[in-house]
Amino acid sequence: MNEIKILVIEDHNLTRIGLRAALQTQPELNIVGEAANAADGIKLLKTLKPDVATIDIGLPDMDGIELTRTFRQYQAENEDYTTKLLILTMQNSEQAVLAAFAAGADSYCMKDIETEKLVEAVRTTHAGSSWIDPAIADLVLQQIRQDFPDGSRGASGKRVLIEGIDPDTEKSIVTYPLTHREMDVLELIVAGCDNAEIAKRLYLTVGTVKTHVRGILNKLCVADRTQAAVRALRAGLVP
């Protein structure tokens, strides 16, 4: 298995030690650097070019969301920097979650996560998909449902847009675009509809809906419906 280089940006010594111990249980996960504040974290992101960086929100000099936004801007100007960013924190408020994804975070999970799930989160993030703690996913989808209770834009045309996808994913979406029917299904997934409700609204069989959902997951390079919804929002696919 290919090595995954990881940078840990965390101001609490004991938490850094715990993260290091948890991640180093897997031979392919290599901690290449650690930083206790945002300034050092940005420097190491630029010099070490890790595959994945875990970022705490509560850093002493700059919060992790601002660090994420700053580094994403740097990446936009320097194409050879491809680090994926995983927010790892105790904050599960709706504001923090949506702000993190708006800043360009790839994944978001809680610090009390089990070691096996943390390893899964890092691997999934490295592979190019979003890993979202189930509690966090519920917050995101609840917000979406509040804005689109009937699956539409509403009179004001308001939408939640979680910006920023990596160039490889963007290229894949352009190369293998969703069909019109897949877009219809995706919009209803984002609105929180299950397969039965989608079938009812679009006058399709549940089997046909399942086929469209599989196609959507493959084309968006994600593992499940929640990841598809988040990626759709980040890519601006949902009107």
Side-chain angles (χ1 to χ4, degrees), residues 48-113:
L48 298 177
K49 295 184 179 180
D51 298 310
V52 177
T54 67
I55 303 173
D56 179 33
I57 286 184
L59 297 170
D61 52 341
M62 175 193 299
D63 67 58
I65 293 173
E66 186 60 31
L67 186 159
T68 297
R69 183 178 296 108
T70 298
F71 186 66
R72 284 302 191 213
Q73 292 172 349
Y74 182 80
Q75 283 183 308
E77 299 168 358
N78 298 270
E79 295 182 357
D80 56 332
Y81 286 83
T82 59
T83 301
K84 304 292 193 303
L85 305 180
L86 187 160
I87 298 293
L88 189 60
T89 181
M90 291 304 294
Q91 295 190 34
N92 63 350
S93 70
E94 179 180 296
Q95 182 179 7
V97 172
L98 295 178
F101 282 117
D106 292 291
S107 298
Y108 195 117
C109 55
M110 306 301 293
K111 285 183 179 179
D112 58 1
I113 189 173

Side-chain angles (χ1 to χ4, degrees), residues 13-65:
N13 291 332
L14 289 178
T15 303
R16 284 204 311 278
I17 293 171
L19 288 173
R20 186 193 314 132
L23 294 171
Q24 289 182 336
T25 59
Q26 302 301 311
E28 83 278 13
L29 303 184
N30 180 21
I31 308 296
V32 296
E34 299 177 14
N37 57 61
D40 290 343
I42 290 175
K43 289 178 182 177
L44 292 180
L45 282 167
K46 293 178 180 179
T47 57
L48 298 177
K49 295 184 179 180
D51 298 310
V52 177
T54 67
I55 303 173
D56 179 33
I57 286 184
L59 297 170
D61 52 341
M62 175 193 299
D63 67 58
I65 293 173

Side-chain angles (χ1 to χ4, degrees), residues 7 10 35 43 55 76 79 87-88 100 115 162 164 166 175-176 179 187 190 200 202 204 212 214 226:
L7 171 65
E10 165 63 54
K43 289 178 182 177
I55 303 173
E79 295 182 357
I87 298 293
L88 189 60
T115 296
I162 302 177
D166 62 85
T175 304
Y176 305 103
T179 66
E187 288 184 19
V190 170
K200 180 180 178 180
L202 298 181
L204 300 171
H212 287 314
R214 284 195 297 270
T226 299

Side-chain angles (χ1 to χ4, degrees), residues 10 33 41 68 90 105 117 140 158 169 182 215 235-236:
E10 165 63 54
T68 297
M90 291 304 294
K117 290 296 184 181
V140 174
K158 178 184 178 183
T169 300
E182 286 172 341

